Amino acid sequence: MAIFPVCGQEKGVFWKISGNGLPSSSYLFGTIHLICEQDFAMSGQVIEKLAESKALVLEIDMDDPALRMALMSNIYNEDGQKITDYLSEEEYQEIKSFLKERTGMDMDMLKTMRPMVLMSLIYPNLLECDTRAFENELMALAKSEDIEIVGLESVEDQLSLFDLIPLEEQYRSFYTYADNLEKGKEEFRKLIASYREEDISALLDLVSESPEYRDYKDVLLDQRNQNWIDPMESLMKSGSMFFAVGAGHLAGDTGLIQLLKREGYSVERLYL
């Protein structure tokens, strides 16, 4: 398993950003996008700091009315490529049976669906529990306090990243997950355990070694982290911001914590 230098910040999912001429402190909260109900917890300090902030800043603005339309228009492969172009007939039949059994959906109707969308259909099967999403809970809190919700990147930016990964590899990752669901479940359990322990170094390793990230950490994590620094700085100059991004983006030499420190900010762990 790859080891990435974490420069002494192996633990902590909640951080205060200050200094470097900022008018007020901002906050960085690492989330896990889907978690079992019984494992979900949001500390009073997180709620308090969000309430004090000028805006909730997510990876993408999930409150944008245009988001659903953008997602709907990107569900299928742009040039009509099909999953059957990349898997053998035997592999395809396995996937078809799996999806029918697990979701009731007919794979024959979804052949041109993007691999990442197909992946999202099986995520609930990896958890086998009632789930909650930190982003949804944070947005509900922000709305109750009349706090603006913005994004660090557009949905088009996020989707375009996957265009850099050959479709064959994306479909192969999807098949790998579906073909060995028990392994996927075990990885998810480790991910949730690491998150609860606030072990962001272990989280980075787990995310980096997952099939869809393994060979593309530089594109899906490192480059996005770097791309986010400028908009983060611009937003923080206008007041206190509450950033909430996947916890896999925090640790490591190319993670947000170290990148912000290199820009001259003080980044201090807050204990939940």
Side-chain angles (χ1 to χ4, degrees), residues 21-51:
L22 291 181
S24 54
S25 297
S26 286
Y27 302 93
L28 176 62
F29 181 51
T31 68
I32 190 166
H33 297 314
L34 210 59
I35 194 168
C36 289
E37 178 99 43
Q38 65 266 25
D39 293 315
F40 177 85
M42 194 175 290
S43 78
Q45 180 160 219
V46 167
I47 295 169
E48 175 190 325
K49 297 305 182 187
L50 173 58

Side-chain angles (χ1 to χ4, degrees), residues 214-230:
R214 186 179 298 125
D215 297 321
Y216 295 95
K217 175 183 173 287
D218 57 335
V219 172
L220 298 175
L221 285 178
D222 301 346
Q223 190 57 56
R224 289 173 73 206
N225 292 343
Q226 189 62 63
N227 291 345
W228 290 346
I229 294 299
D230 281 350

Side-chain angles (χ1 to χ4, degrees), residues 96-153:
K96 183 178 176 179
S97 298
F98 169 83
L99 208 66
K100 185 71 174 175
E101 176 190 335
R102 295 284 177 164
T103 70
M105 302 179 83
D106 184 356
M107 189 69 231
D108 286 344
M109 308 294 290
L110 311 174
K111 283 184 179 179
T112 60
M113 190 171 271
R114 282 178 177 239
M116 62 183 175
V117 181
L118 291 173
M119 191 80 85
S120 72
L121 299 177
I122 66 171
Y123 276 144
N125 290 284
L126 295 174
L127 288 169
E128 292 184 321
C129 59
D130 291 328
T131 60
R132 290 176 79 173
F134 276 100
E135 287 79 6
N136 290 343
E137 304 296 329
L138 291 166
M139 284 197 300
L141 285 168
K143 287 178 181 178
S144 72
E145 298 283 346
D146 203 25
I147 293 169
E148 185 182 6
I149 300 170
V150 297
L152 287 169
E153 61 191 9

